[in-house]
Amino acid sequence: MRPLPDSMPELTPAPRGWWERDADDGERQFVSTPPPTRGPPAIEVRKLSKRYRGGVLANDEISLSIPRSAVFGVLGPNGAGKTTLVRQITGELVPTAGAIRVHDIDILERPLAAKSLMGVVPQEATPYQHLKPHEHLVFFGRLHGMSRSQARGRADELMAALGLEEHAGVTAVRLSGGLKRKLLVGSALMAEPSLLVLDEPTTGLDPHSRREVWALLESLRGRGTTILITTHYMDEAEMLCDQVAVIGAGRILAMGTVEELRGLCRRRYKATFENGAGQRQTVYGSAYDEVVDELARLDIHEYTIGKTTLEDLYLELTSQTLEESQYA
Amino acid sequence: MRKAIADAALIAWMETLKVRVAPAMYVIAIVFFPLGMLLFAKAMTPPGFDVGVRLVTGSLVFGLGLATVNLLAQFILFERFNNEMKLVVASPVHPLSYAGGVLVYSVGQALVTSAVILSFAPLFDIDITLSFWLLPLLLLTALSMTGIAVVIATWAPSMEAGNMMANTLGILIVILSPIYYPIERLSEWLQWVARFSPYTHAGEAINKVLSGQGGFEREMLILAGITVVGLVIGILGLRWREA
């Protein structure tokens, strides 16, 4: 049996915060606490329900409140209702019941005022195929009220930040799927919105591009932008999000910080190994010793042991919901 | 209001840039196709029948009408079902700005076609009289069915269904509008139906103007009334958010 390590490996995401210069001595220091939020929440959703024609209840009385400057993640399997929730928040879909306020503006009563505060990257959106990337960015910047010169300057910045400069001469139809996605993210960022809503923004991106987008989102977070992101990627949620909501069958199954959600998982530890048939297997336990005992019982000597992750909680919660909906 | 107009202009400009993707196709659609149809119709006319002005009128009315109804519906349908429109819906853009922008582009394209037809008519030995009244008449003709086209495009359950509805509407209106023949040739009930078509009145008014005749004011007023009704239907029926 492999000797137990002295301490368990921990996930250590990059420190969150920003650099400030001290007023007295001019020294720069890192402030790790997010700035206190002022005013009403960036997004407030109360008992939001959406039933499509045909009777499908995609969102069932969802309530949540996203404070300003927070990065809020929504996790859920396909068909859980994430995109339906986001589409209602961005004003693309009319709710069946409930209320949505964006920076204290009712999205249904004053959609233009609410949208002027938002940058949105819808999941299934496509850039205008006939526009070049710079033209696309300028177009959406101007739709958000920027002047031509402002929009052009900002587009230049984003072209560089997103790695689109070498593709400046081609129309969007000739871009790869990943580059199109980056162009959509850039278009949403043009007017430097106070609220950014991203529906699976890094789907289809290579790891390098994903990290470029993450870096961009982290820099926005440091400036106080509220970010709502739906994602399938656990590492993305763990790296970026202050709070996460897990959605299943149209309802919120769990909500809290990443650490709080990890703590919800009944099976705190897991070990991964290859069985006699060469297949990867995982055993879980609520205590470290429980896992070790199980491995010993199975006569397993080569294994990797660690704490359960957000993905394990996600699978635990959503598999229950999938079973319920299957047998409903 | 200023932003709404600016947004419409911006969207019209953005739509215009589509021309550079396939300029040859646009030249064929806007120039060669209508001229070809006019030349064909002229060639098929038996000698001795002086119907040149009627042929030009028909080319103008159907070119304008079909171009704006079909083109407008196709643009909106394509952008809607290709998910390009999602970005605009998520932006602080009034739905009428979007519709107005796409409309300006479609009407602009149709007016270019009209200018080409009017320019080439004398070359086809067709004597026409040009008047500044042609411009408002052509605009009203182009706008008359756009409201219904917008409703079809924003409510259609699929791109195929929307295209079919827009094409069917356009063709029905064309067939039922007595531009190439006197209205009296239709049966009584079809005459009543034809009177509700904006193209019937557009055809009469434009034919009178091109012939150098007067007395087109009645038809112009009726056309304007039908156009206003159609635009109101379009404004009220435009679907921007999914229910």
PDB file of all heavy atoms in Angstrom, chain A residues 50 87 91-94 115 124 126 128-130 135 140 143-144 184, chain B residues 3 10 14 20-21 79 82-84 86-89 91-92 241-243:
ATOM      1  N   LYS A  50     -40.806  29.476 -16.303  1.00  0.00           N
ATOM      2  CA  LYS A  50     -41.015  29.528 -17.746  1.00  0.00           C
ATOM      3  C   LYS A  50     -41.542  28.183 -18.206  1.00  0.00           C
ATOM      4  O   LYS A  50     -40.887  27.153 -18.027  1.00  0.00           O
ATOM      5  CB  LYS A  50     -39.709  29.853 -18.477  1.00  0.00           C
ATOM      6  CG  LYS A  50     -39.863  29.864 -20.001  1.00  0.00           C
ATOM      7  CD  LYS A  50     -40.829  30.921 -20.456  1.00  0.00           C
ATOM      8  CE  LYS A  50     -41.113  30.832 -21.947  1.00  0.00           C
ATOM      9  NZ  LYS A  50     -42.127  31.820 -22.363  1.00  0.00           N
ATOM     10  N   ARG A  87     -31.724  33.546 -20.958  1.00  0.00           N
ATOM     11  CA  ARG A  87     -32.477  34.242 -22.008  1.00  0.00           C
ATOM     12  C   ARG A  87     -33.545  35.154 -21.412  1.00  0.00           C
ATOM     13  O   ARG A  87     -33.872  36.208 -21.964  1.00  0.00           O
ATOM     14  CB  ARG A  87     -33.118  33.237 -22.955  1.00  0.00           C
ATOM     15  CG  ARG A  87     -32.122  32.500 -23.863  1.00  0.00           C
ATOM     16  CD  ARG A  87     -32.808  31.459 -24.709  1.00  0.00           C
ATOM     17  NE  ARG A  87     -33.602  32.086 -25.755  1.00  0.00           N
ATOM     18  CZ  ARG A  87     -34.600  31.487 -26.395  1.00  0.00           C
ATOM     19  NH1 ARG A  87     -34.945  30.243 -26.085  1.00  0.00           N
ATOM     20  NH2 ARG A  87     -35.261  32.104 -27.341  1.00  0.00           N
ATOM     21  N   GLY A  91     -33.637  39.371 -21.543  1.00  0.00           N
ATOM     22  CA  GLY A  91     -34.784  39.958 -22.235  1.00  0.00           C
ATOM     23  C   GLY A  91     -35.126  39.324 -23.566  1.00  0.00           C
ATOM     24  O   GLY A  91     -35.966  39.843 -24.306  1.00  0.00           O
ATOM     25  N   GLU A  92     -34.503  38.193 -23.887  1.00  0.00           N
ATOM     26  CA  GLU A  92     -34.800  37.537 -25.154  1.00  0.00           C
ATOM     27  C   GLU A  92     -36.077  36.708 -25.059  1.00  0.00           C
ATOM     28  O   GLU A  92     -36.755  36.472 -26.058  1.00  0.00           O
ATOM     29  CB  GLU A  92     -33.622  36.633 -25.535  1.00  0.00           C
ATOM     30  CG  GLU A  92     -33.719  36.043 -26.926  1.00  0.00           C
ATOM     31  CD  GLU A  92     -32.662  34.988 -27.191  1.00  0.00           C
ATOM     32  OE1 GLU A  92     -31.627  34.988 -26.485  1.00  0.00           O
ATOM     33  OE2 GLU A  92     -32.871  34.171 -28.083  1.00  0.00           O
ATOM     34  N   LEU A  93     -36.389  36.257 -23.861  1.00  0.00           N
ATOM     35  CA  LEU A  93     -37.529  35.368 -23.649  1.00  0.00           C
ATOM     36  C   LEU A  93     -38.436  35.979 -22.598  1.00  0.00           C
ATOM     37  O   LEU A  93     -37.967  36.533 -21.595  1.00  0.00           O
ATOM     38  CB  LEU A  93     -36.982  34.027 -23.146  1.00  0.00           C
ATOM     39  CG  LEU A  93     -37.836  32.787 -23.178  1.00  0.00           C
ATOM     40  CD1 LEU A  93     -38.278  32.470 -24.593  1.00  0.00           C
ATOM     41  CD2 LEU A  93     -37.042  31.612 -22.611  1.00  0.00           C
ATOM     42  N   VAL A  94     -39.746  35.892 -22.832  1.00  0.00           N
ATOM     43  CA  VAL A  94     -40.700  36.444 -21.865  1.00  0.00           C
ATOM     44  C   VAL A  94     -41.036  35.379 -20.830  1.00  0.00           C
ATOM     45  O   VAL A  94     -41.434  34.272 -21.191  1.00  0.00           O
ATOM     46  CB  VAL A  94     -41.992  36.905 -22.592  1.00  0.00           C
ATOM     47  CG1 VAL A  94     -43.003  37.422 -21.584  1.00  0.00           C
ATOM     48  CG2 VAL A  94     -41.663  37.970 -23.623  1.00  0.00           C
ATOM     49  N   LYS A 115     -30.845  46.585 -20.966  1.00  0.00           N
ATOM     50  CA  LYS A 115     -29.867  46.030 -21.920  1.00  0.00           C
ATOM     51  C   LYS A 115     -28.697  46.959 -22.112  1.00  0.00           C
ATOM     52  O   LYS A 115     -27.604  46.518 -22.479  1.00  0.00           O
ATOM     53  CB  LYS A 115     -30.545  45.770 -23.268  1.00  0.00           C
ATOM     54  CG  LYS A 115     -31.488  44.576 -23.247  1.00  0.00           C
ATOM     55  CD  LYS A 115     -32.173  44.432 -24.594  1.00  0.00           C
ATOM     56  CE  LYS A 115     -33.231  43.350 -24.543  1.00  0.00           C
ATOM     57  NZ  LYS A 115     -33.937  43.196 -25.836  1.00  0.00           N
ATOM     58  N   GLU A 124     -26.082  30.233 -28.556  1.00  0.00           N
ATOM     59  CA  GLU A 124     -26.156  29.788 -29.946  1.00  0.00           C
ATOM     60  C   GLU A 124     -25.986  30.932 -30.939  1.00  0.00           C
ATOM     61  O   GLU A 124     -26.276  30.764 -32.107  1.00  0.00           O
ATOM     62  CB  GLU A 124     -27.503  29.103 -30.186  1.00  0.00           C
ATOM     63  CG  GLU A 124     -27.656  27.810 -29.394  1.00  0.00           C
ATOM     64  CD  GLU A 124     -29.087  27.294 -29.429  1.00  0.00           C
ATOM     65  OE1 GLU A 124     -29.998  28.067 -29.784  1.00  0.00           O
ATOM     66  OE2 GLU A 124     -29.294  26.112 -29.091  1.00  0.00           O
ATOM     67  N   THR A 126     -24.465  33.636 -33.534  1.00  0.00           N
ATOM     68  CA  THR A 126     -23.458  33.596 -34.596  1.00  0.00           C
ATOM     69  C   THR A 126     -23.105  35.033 -34.943  1.00  0.00           C
ATOM     70  O   THR A 126     -24.008  35.865 -35.038  1.00  0.00           O
ATOM     71  CB  THR A 126     -24.038  32.914 -35.849  1.00  0.00           C
ATOM     72  OG1 THR A 126     -24.606  31.669 -35.500  1.00  0.00           O
ATOM     73  CG2 THR A 126     -22.976  32.700 -36.895  1.00  0.00           C
ATOM     74  N   TYR A 128     -22.279  38.165 -37.359  1.00  0.00           N
ATOM     75  CA  TYR A 128     -22.688  38.482 -38.717  1.00  0.00           C
ATOM     76  C   TYR A 128     -21.589  38.048 -39.673  1.00  0.00           C
ATOM     77  O   TYR A 128     -20.467  38.538 -39.626  1.00  0.00           O
ATOM     78  CB  TYR A 128     -22.978  39.984 -38.854  1.00  0.00           C
ATOM     79  CG  TYR A 128     -24.356  40.344 -38.375  1.00  0.00           C
ATOM     80  CD1 TYR A 128     -24.563  40.846 -37.101  1.00  0.00           C
ATOM     81  CD2 TYR A 128     -25.472  40.156 -39.197  1.00  0.00           C
ATOM     82  CE1 TYR A 128     -25.839  41.163 -36.661  1.00  0.00           C
ATOM     83  CE2 TYR A 128     -26.747  40.472 -38.757  1.00  0.00           C
ATOM     84  CZ  TYR A 128     -26.919  40.967 -37.488  1.00  0.00           C
ATOM     85  OH  TYR A 128     -28.182  41.275 -37.049  1.00  0.00           O
ATOM     86  N   GLN A 129     -21.961  37.106 -40.533  1.00  0.00           N
ATOM     87  CA  GLN A 129     -20.973  36.384 -41.333  1.00  0.00           C
ATOM     88  C   GLN A 129     -20.221  37.289 -42.308  1.00  0.00           C
ATOM     89  O   GLN A 129     -19.079  36.994 -42.669  1.00  0.00           O
ATOM     90  CB  GLN A 129     -21.674  35.266 -42.126  1.00  0.00           C
ATOM     91  CG  GLN A 129     -22.507  34.345 -41.265  1.00  0.00           C
ATOM     92  CD  GLN A 129     -21.664  33.322 -40.523  1.00  0.00           C
ATOM     93  OE1 GLN A 129     -21.106  32.427 -41.120  1.00  0.00           O
ATOM     94  NE2 GLN A 129     -21.566  33.481 -39.223  1.00  0.00           N
ATOM     95  N   HIS A 130     -20.854  38.363 -42.735  1.00  0.00           N
ATOM     96  CA  HIS A 130     -20.263  39.183 -43.791  1.00  0.00           C
ATOM     97  C   HIS A 130     -19.396  40.317 -43.248  1.00  0.00           C
ATOM     98  O   HIS A 130     -18.797  41.060 -44.021  1.00  0.00           O
ATOM     99  CB  HIS A 130     -21.376  39.779 -44.669  1.00  0.00           C
ATOM    100  CG  HIS A 130     -22.267  40.742 -43.946  1.00  0.00           C
ATOM    101  ND1 HIS A 130     -23.171  40.329 -42.988  1.00  0.00           N
ATOM    102  CD2 HIS A 130     -22.379  42.084 -44.016  1.00  0.00           C
ATOM    103  CE1 HIS A 130     -23.821  41.389 -42.529  1.00  0.00           C
ATOM    104  NE2 HIS A 130     -23.362  42.458 -43.122  1.00  0.00           N
ATOM    105  N   GLU A 135     -15.007  45.356 -37.841  1.00  0.00           N
ATOM    106  CA  GLU A 135     -16.314  45.947 -38.185  1.00  0.00           C
ATOM    107  C   GLU A 135     -17.390  45.447 -37.232  1.00  0.00           C
ATOM    108  O   GLU A 135     -18.276  46.191 -36.819  1.00  0.00           O
ATOM    109  CB  GLU A 135     -16.697  45.569 -39.623  1.00  0.00           C
ATOM    110  CG  GLU A 135     -15.840  46.219 -40.688  1.00  0.00           C
ATOM    111  CD  GLU A 135     -16.109  45.654 -42.063  1.00  0.00           C
ATOM    112  OE1 GLU A 135     -16.653  44.523 -42.163  1.00  0.00           O
ATOM    113  OE2 GLU A 135     -15.755  46.316 -43.056  1.00  0.00           O
ATOM    114  N   PHE A 140     -21.301  46.685 -32.891  1.00  0.00           N
ATOM    115  CA  PHE A 140     -22.006  46.470 -31.627  1.00  0.00           C
ATOM    116  C   PHE A 140     -21.633  47.514 -30.582  1.00  0.00           C
ATOM    117  O   PHE A 140     -22.437  47.837 -29.702  1.00  0.00           O
ATOM    118  CB  PHE A 140     -21.779  45.041 -31.113  1.00  0.00           C
ATOM    119  CG  PHE A 140     -22.653  44.057 -31.820  1.00  0.00           C
ATOM    120  CD1 PHE A 140     -22.172  43.332 -32.889  1.00  0.00           C
ATOM    121  CD2 PHE A 140     -23.978  43.921 -31.456  1.00  0.00           C
ATOM    122  CE1 PHE A 140     -23.001  42.460 -33.585  1.00  0.00           C
ATOM    123  CE2 PHE A 140     -24.815  43.043 -32.140  1.00  0.00           C
ATOM    124  CZ  PHE A 140     -24.327  42.321 -33.211  1.00  0.00           C
ATOM    125  N   LEU A 143     -23.981  50.270 -31.433  1.00  0.00           N
ATOM    126  CA  LEU A 143     -25.362  49.970 -31.013  1.00  0.00           C
ATOM    127  C   LEU A 143     -25.529  50.211 -29.515  1.00  0.00           C
ATOM    128  O   LEU A 143     -26.640  50.464 -29.048  1.00  0.00           O
ATOM    129  CB  LEU A 143     -25.735  48.522 -31.337  1.00  0.00           C
ATOM    130  CG  LEU A 143     -26.024  48.188 -32.800  1.00  0.00           C
ATOM    131  CD1 LEU A 143     -26.447  46.735 -32.937  1.00  0.00           C
ATOM    132  CD2 LEU A 143     -27.102  49.096 -33.383  1.00  0.00           C
ATOM    133  N   HIS A 144     -24.419  50.124 -28.779  1.00  0.00           N
ATOM    134  CA  HIS A 144     -24.472  50.409 -27.340  1.00  0.00           C
ATOM    135  C   HIS A 144     -24.247  51.876 -27.032  1.00  0.00           C
ATOM    136  O   HIS A 144     -24.047  52.249 -25.880  1.00  0.00           O
ATOM    137  CB  HIS A 144     -23.427  49.568 -26.585  1.00  0.00           C
ATOM    138  CG  HIS A 144     -23.942  48.229 -26.167  1.00  0.00           C
ATOM    139  ND1 HIS A 144     -23.977  47.146 -27.002  1.00  0.00           N
ATOM    140  CD2 HIS A 144     -24.481  47.799 -24.993  1.00  0.00           C
ATOM    141  CE1 HIS A 144     -24.495  46.107 -26.369  1.00  0.00           C
ATOM    142  NE2 HIS A 144     -24.818  46.463 -25.146  1.00  0.00           N
ATOM    143  N   LEU A 184     -17.582  37.021 -30.453  1.00  0.00           N
ATOM    144  CA  LEU A 184     -18.827  37.289 -29.728  1.00  0.00           C
ATOM    145  C   LEU A 184     -18.530  37.855 -28.336  1.00  0.00           C
ATOM    146  O   LEU A 184     -19.196  38.792 -27.881  1.00  0.00           O
ATOM    147  CB  LEU A 184     -19.656  36.009 -29.596  1.00  0.00           C
ATOM    148  CG  LEU A 184     -20.247  35.450 -30.889  1.00  0.00           C
ATOM    149  CD1 LEU A 184     -20.903  34.098 -30.632  1.00  0.00           C
ATOM    150  CD2 LEU A 184     -21.261  36.403 -31.474  1.00  0.00           C
TER     151      LEU A 184
ATOM    152  N   LYS B   3     -31.323  58.078 -31.046  1.00  0.00           N
ATOM    153  CA  LYS B   3     -30.610  56.802 -31.060  1.00  0.00           C
ATOM    154  C   LYS B   3     -31.346  55.793 -31.933  1.00  0.00           C
ATOM    155  O   LYS B   3     -30.711  55.018 -32.643  1.00  0.00           O
ATOM    156  CB  LYS B   3     -30.440  56.243 -29.650  1.00  0.00           C
ATOM    157  CG  LYS B   3     -29.575  54.972 -29.674  1.00  0.00           C
ATOM    158  CD  LYS B   3     -29.324  54.368 -28.319  1.00  0.00           C
ATOM    159  CE  LYS B   3     -28.363  53.183 -28.432  1.00  0.00           C
ATOM    160  NZ  LYS B   3     -28.924  52.001 -29.084  1.00  0.00           N
ATOM    161  N   LEU B  10     -27.485  52.592 -38.853  1.00  0.00           N
ATOM    162  CA  LEU B  10     -26.351  51.695 -38.663  1.00  0.00           C
ATOM    163  C   LEU B  10     -26.674  50.298 -39.178  1.00  0.00           C
ATOM    164  O   LEU B  10     -25.853  49.651 -39.856  1.00  0.00           O
ATOM    165  CB  LEU B  10     -26.050  51.630 -37.159  1.00  0.00           C
ATOM    166  CG  LEU B  10     -24.698  51.116 -36.711  1.00  0.00           C
ATOM    167  CD1 LEU B  10     -23.589  51.927 -37.326  1.00  0.00           C
ATOM    168  CD2 LEU B  10     -24.615  51.195 -35.181  1.00  0.00           C
ATOM    169  N   MET B  14     -24.970  48.227 -42.160  1.00  0.00           N
ATOM    170  CA  MET B  14     -24.438  46.891 -41.933  1.00  0.00           C
ATOM    171  C   MET B  14     -25.007  45.918 -42.961  1.00  0.00           C
ATOM    172  O   MET B  14     -24.283  45.084 -43.510  1.00  0.00           O
ATOM    173  CB  MET B  14     -24.786  46.445 -40.506  1.00  0.00           C
ATOM    174  CG  MET B  14     -24.244  45.099 -40.089  1.00  0.00           C
ATOM    175  SD  MET B  14     -25.260  43.681 -40.544  1.00  0.00           S
ATOM    176  CE  MET B  14     -26.696  43.932 -39.476  1.00  0.00           C
ATOM    177  N   ARG B  20     -20.856  43.238 -50.737  1.00  0.00           N
ATOM    178  CA  ARG B  20     -19.473  42.963 -51.108  1.00  0.00           C
ATOM    179  C   ARG B  20     -19.129  41.472 -51.025  1.00  0.00           C
ATOM    180  O   ARG B  20     -18.105  41.045 -51.555  1.00  0.00           O
ATOM    181  CB  ARG B  20     -18.514  43.754 -50.225  1.00  0.00           C
ATOM    182  CG  ARG B  20     -18.502  43.300 -48.808  1.00  0.00           C
ATOM    183  CD  ARG B  20     -17.567  44.126 -47.947  1.00  0.00           C
ATOM    184  NE  ARG B  20     -17.628  43.623 -46.587  1.00  0.00           N
ATOM    185  CZ  ARG B  20     -17.070  44.218 -45.562  1.00  0.00           C
ATOM    186  NH1 ARG B  20     -16.404  45.349 -45.730  1.00  0.00           N
ATOM    187  NH2 ARG B  20     -17.161  43.701 -44.357  1.00  0.00           N
ATOM    188  N   VAL B  21     -19.991  40.684 -50.358  1.00  0.00           N
ATOM    189  CA  VAL B  21     -19.728  39.242 -50.254  1.00  0.00           C
ATOM    190  C   VAL B  21     -19.886  38.586 -51.617  1.00  0.00           C
ATOM    191  O   VAL B  21     -19.066  37.755 -52.008  1.00  0.00           O
ATOM    192  CB  VAL B  21     -20.690  38.598 -49.231  1.00  0.00           C
ATOM    193  CG1 VAL B  21     -20.515  37.095 -49.220  1.00  0.00           C
ATOM    194  CG2 VAL B  21     -20.448  39.154 -47.845  1.00  0.00           C
ATOM    195  N   GLU B  79     -31.387  35.928 -40.672  1.00  0.00           N
ATOM    196  CA  GLU B  79     -30.712  36.392 -39.466  1.00  0.00           C
ATOM    197  C   GLU B  79     -31.329  35.774 -38.216  1.00  0.00           C
ATOM    198  O   GLU B  79     -30.631  35.502 -37.239  1.00  0.00           O
ATOM    199  CB  GLU B  79     -30.761  37.920 -39.398  1.00  0.00           C
ATOM    200  CG  GLU B  79     -29.917  38.561 -40.484  1.00  0.00           C
ATOM    201  CD  GLU B  79     -29.835  40.061 -40.366  1.00  0.00           C
ATOM    202  OE1 GLU B  79     -30.330  40.623 -39.369  1.00  0.00           O
ATOM    203  OE2 GLU B  79     -29.270  40.683 -41.288  1.00  0.00           O
ATOM    204  N   ASN B  82     -30.397  31.855 -38.346  1.00  0.00           N
ATOM    205  CA  ASN B  82     -28.952  31.637 -38.266  1.00  0.00           C
ATOM    206  C   ASN B  82     -28.376  32.198 -36.976  1.00  0.00           C
ATOM    207  O   ASN B  82     -27.165  32.226 -36.799  1.00  0.00           O
ATOM    208  CB  ASN B  82     -28.255  32.292 -39.461  1.00  0.00           C
ATOM    209  CG  ASN B  82     -27.995  31.291 -40.560  1.00  0.00           C
ATOM    210  OD1 ASN B  82     -28.587  30.235 -40.583  1.00  0.00           O
ATOM    211  ND2 ASN B  82     -27.107  31.635 -41.470  1.00  0.00           N
ATOM    212  N   ASN B  83     -29.253  32.664 -36.105  1.00  0.00           N
ATOM    213  CA  ASN B  83     -28.868  33.169 -34.788  1.00  0.00           C
ATOM    214  C   ASN B  83     -27.992  34.407 -34.829  1.00  0.00           C
ATOM    215  O   ASN B  83     -27.311  34.713 -33.842  1.00  0.00           O
ATOM    216  CB  ASN B  83     -28.168  32.065 -33.968  1.00  0.00           C
ATOM    217  CG  ASN B  83     -29.111  30.920 -33.654  1.00  0.00           C
ATOM    218  OD1 ASN B  83     -30.268  31.139 -33.312  1.00  0.00           O
ATOM    219  ND2 ASN B  83     -28.641  29.704 -33.797  1.00  0.00           N
ATOM    220  N   GLU B  84     -28.009  35.126 -35.952  1.00  0.00           N
ATOM    221  CA  GLU B  84     -27.281  36.393 -35.994  1.00  0.00           C
ATOM    222  C   GLU B  84     -28.083  37.463 -35.259  1.00  0.00           C
ATOM    223  O   GLU B  84     -27.521  38.380 -34.662  1.00  0.00           O
ATOM    224  CB  GLU B  84     -27.052  36.827 -37.446  1.00  0.00           C
ATOM    225  CG  GLU B  84     -26.024  35.973 -38.181  1.00  0.00           C
ATOM    226  CD  GLU B  84     -25.892  36.377 -39.639  1.00  0.00           C
ATOM    227  OE1 GLU B  84     -26.755  37.143 -40.119  1.00  0.00           O
ATOM    228  OE2 GLU B  84     -24.935  35.937 -40.301  1.00  0.00           O
ATOM    229  N   LYS B  86     -29.772  37.253 -32.593  1.00  0.00           N
ATOM    230  CA  LYS B  86     -29.720  37.168 -31.128  1.00  0.00           C
ATOM    231  C   LYS B  86     -28.894  38.286 -30.534  1.00  0.00           C
ATOM    232  O   LYS B  86     -29.199  38.818 -29.466  1.00  0.00           O
ATOM    233  CB  LYS B  86     -29.124  35.823 -30.707  1.00  0.00           C
ATOM    234  CG  LYS B  86     -30.092  34.665 -30.708  1.00  0.00           C
ATOM    235  CD  LYS B  86     -29.414  33.402 -30.220  1.00  0.00           C
ATOM    236  CE  LYS B  86     -30.372  32.240 -30.201  1.00  0.00           C
ATOM    237  NZ  LYS B  86     -31.310  32.265 -29.075  1.00  0.00           N
ATOM    238  N   LEU B  87     -27.788  38.630 -31.212  1.00  0.00           N
ATOM    239  CA  LEU B  87     -26.908  39.665 -30.680  1.00  0.00           C
ATOM    240  C   LEU B  87     -27.599  41.024 -30.687  1.00  0.00           C
ATOM    241  O   LEU B  87     -27.423  41.828 -29.773  1.00  0.00           O
ATOM    242  CB  LEU B  87     -25.630  39.737 -31.510  1.00  0.00           C
ATOM    243  CG  LEU B  87     -24.756  38.487 -31.500  1.00  0.00           C
ATOM    244  CD1 LEU B  87     -23.584  38.673 -32.430  1.00  0.00           C
ATOM    245  CD2 LEU B  87     -24.277  38.172 -30.099  1.00  0.00           C
ATOM    246  N   VAL B  88     -28.367  41.280 -31.729  1.00  0.00           N
ATOM    247  CA  VAL B  88     -29.059  42.565 -31.815  1.00  0.00           C
ATOM    248  C   VAL B  88     -30.193  42.613 -30.790  1.00  0.00           C
ATOM    249  O   VAL B  88     -30.414  43.635 -30.147  1.00  0.00           O
ATOM    250  CB  VAL B  88     -29.612  42.797 -33.237  1.00  0.00           C
ATOM    251  CG1 VAL B  88     -30.333  44.127 -33.330  1.00  0.00           C
ATOM    252  CG2 VAL B  88     -28.474  42.772 -34.237  1.00  0.00           C
ATOM    253  N   VAL B  89     -30.899  41.483 -30.612  1.00  0.00           N
ATOM    254  CA  VAL B  89     -31.977  41.431 -29.625  1.00  0.00           C
ATOM    255  C   VAL B  89     -31.429  41.675 -28.226  1.00  0.00           C
ATOM    256  O   VAL B  89     -32.077  42.312 -27.395  1.00  0.00           O
ATOM    257  CB  VAL B  89     -32.708  40.066 -29.689  1.00  0.00           C
ATOM    258  CG1 VAL B  89     -33.721  39.927 -28.563  1.00  0.00           C
ATOM    259  CG2 VAL B  89     -33.404  39.899 -31.023  1.00  0.00           C
ATOM    260  N   SER B  91     -28.961  43.555 -27.519  1.00  0.00           N
ATOM    261  CA  SER B  91     -28.416  44.916 -27.448  1.00  0.00           C
ATOM    262  C   SER B  91     -29.533  45.914 -27.175  1.00  0.00           C
ATOM    263  O   SER B  91     -30.701  45.604 -27.406  1.00  0.00           O
ATOM    264  CB  SER B  91     -27.727  45.268 -28.775  1.00  0.00           C
ATOM    265  OG  SER B  91     -26.696  44.356 -29.068  1.00  0.00           O
ATOM    266  N   PRO B  92     -29.182  47.118 -26.700  1.00  0.00           N
ATOM    267  CA  PRO B  92     -30.233  48.121 -26.436  1.00  0.00           C
ATOM    268  C   PRO B  92     -30.718  48.772 -27.728  1.00  0.00           C
ATOM    269  O   PRO B  92     -30.523  49.966 -27.970  1.00  0.00           O
ATOM    270  CB  PRO B  92     -29.516  49.141 -25.537  1.00  0.00           C
ATOM    271  CG  PRO B  92     -28.079  49.007 -25.883  1.00  0.00           C
ATOM    272  CD  PRO B  92     -27.860  47.585 -26.254  1.00  0.00           C
ATOM    273  N   ARG B 241     -39.332  39.491 -28.935  1.00  0.00           N
ATOM    274  CA  ARG B 241     -38.996  38.525 -27.898  1.00  0.00           C
ATOM    275  C   ARG B 241     -39.869  37.299 -28.048  1.00  0.00           C
ATOM    276  O   ARG B 241     -41.023  37.407 -28.440  1.00  0.00           O
ATOM    277  CB  ARG B 241     -39.235  39.123 -26.507  1.00  0.00           C
ATOM    278  CG  ARG B 241     -38.253  40.201 -26.136  1.00  0.00           C
ATOM    279  CD  ARG B 241     -38.523  40.715 -24.747  1.00  0.00           C
ATOM    280  NE  ARG B 241     -39.806  41.355 -24.621  1.00  0.00           N
ATOM    281  CZ  ARG B 241     -40.132  42.118 -23.587  1.00  0.00           C
ATOM    282  NH1 ARG B 241     -39.282  42.318 -22.616  1.00  0.00           N
ATOM    283  NH2 ARG B 241     -41.330  42.658 -23.514  1.00  0.00           N
ATOM    284  N   GLU B 242     -39.293  36.145 -27.707  1.00  0.00           N
ATOM    285  CA  GLU B 242     -40.036  34.901 -27.801  1.00  0.00           C
ATOM    286  C   GLU B 242     -40.914  34.773 -26.565  1.00  0.00           C
ATOM    287  O   GLU B 242     -40.449  34.963 -25.441  1.00  0.00           O
ATOM    288  CB  GLU B 242     -39.064  33.728 -27.856  1.00  0.00           C
ATOM    289  CG  GLU B 242     -39.690  32.413 -28.255  1.00  0.00           C
ATOM    290  CD  GLU B 242     -38.644  31.317 -28.299  1.00  0.00           C
ATOM    291  OE1 GLU B 242     -37.514  31.593 -28.710  1.00  0.00           O
ATOM    292  OE2 GLU B 242     -38.975  30.195 -27.890  1.00  0.00           O
ATOM    293  N   ALA B 243     -42.180  34.443 -26.787  1.00  0.00           N
ATOM    294  CA  ALA B 243     -43.098  34.321 -25.649  1.00  0.00           C
ATOM    295  C   ALA B 243     -42.958  32.972 -24.964  1.00  0.00           C
ATOM    296  O   ALA B 243     -42.503  32.015 -25.565  1.00  0.00           O
ATOM    297  CB  ALA B 243     -44.527  34.523 -26.124  1.00  0.00           C
TER     298      ALA B 243
END
